[in-house]
Amino acid sequence: MNGPTTIGPGTEGRKLSRSFGWLALLGTLLVIAGVVGLVYTGVATLTSMLLFGWLLLVGGLVGLLHAIESRGSNYFWLGVVVAALNIAAGVVVIRHPVVTAEALTMFAALLFLTGGVFRLAGSVVVRGPQMGWTLLQGAFGLLLGLLVLFDWPHSSLYVLGCFFSLALLFDGLGLIAIGIGGRRIVSMVSQRLDDHGPAPAPASAAPDSDKLRKAPEDEQK
């Protein structure tokens, strides 16, 4: 019979290195998708709307199944209503992605405007240590909201796609950094283990204590 198979630190290191490599590969794909989306913002906007619609639809179907499984509870009808709203919203977004993009772009412009106004007013009233930074954030939000609003509805063709592509780009860069850094750390740890080898097992202190106890007895004899 063969003995039990042991997994050494080298095997675990290779597995970790392979996992970090897949993570870096996923980050590279996200970066490529983000760059392509920044070049073709219209396509990225429609793609993000379709993904958003399918997420709403699938989430609504899953919520409806959960509501049916928990029928008889106090939250049954609430779950059914929320699931039905998600399904209806998903169908509308999938069938009319351009109109949905226009509505969401208008909503984003209003958020930028209100956020910028509140930051500007708050920084002037409070006058805290971060007043300059808050003023800059408020002015940037106000300017961005005005630019999006003045170019609406044409801005709906590129605003959401630009945000979606930037999110993919920065997420991909973060995954690449984690993957490369993780592979370097695993390589350094594996190399150190190979150079020094496994640590020797500590010697037991029991024999020494036995000798110490026997020494007075021998002297008495």
Side-chain angles (χ1 to χ4, degrees), residues 26-129:
L26 177 60
T28 304
L29 294 177
L30 290 180
V31 168
I32 294 174
V35 172
V36 173
L38 288 176
V39 175
Y40 302 99
T41 53
V43 177
T45 299
L46 292 179
T47 303
S48 62
M49 289 297 97
L50 292 176
L51 288 175
F52 180 58
W54 280 108
L55 285 176
L56 288 174
L57 184 60
V58 173
L61 291 175
V62 173
L64 184 61
L65 291 177
H66 280 295
I68 292 174
E69 290 179 356
S70 62
R71 57 183 178 274
S73 62
N74 296 328
Y75 304 100
F76 169 71
W77 288 109
L78 179 62
V80 170
V81 171
V82 172
L85 290 176
N86 285 334
I87 292 173
V91 171
V92 170
V93 172
I94 293 173
R95 289 175 61 90
H96 306 284
V98 177
V99 178
T100 305
E102 292 177 357
L104 289 178
T105 303
M106 173 65 73
F107 182 68
L110 293 177
L111 282 181
F112 289 139
L113 284 174
T114 54
V117 170
F118 277 112
R119 282 192 177 92
L120 288 175
S123 62
V124 172
V125 172
V126 176
R127 296 181 180 274

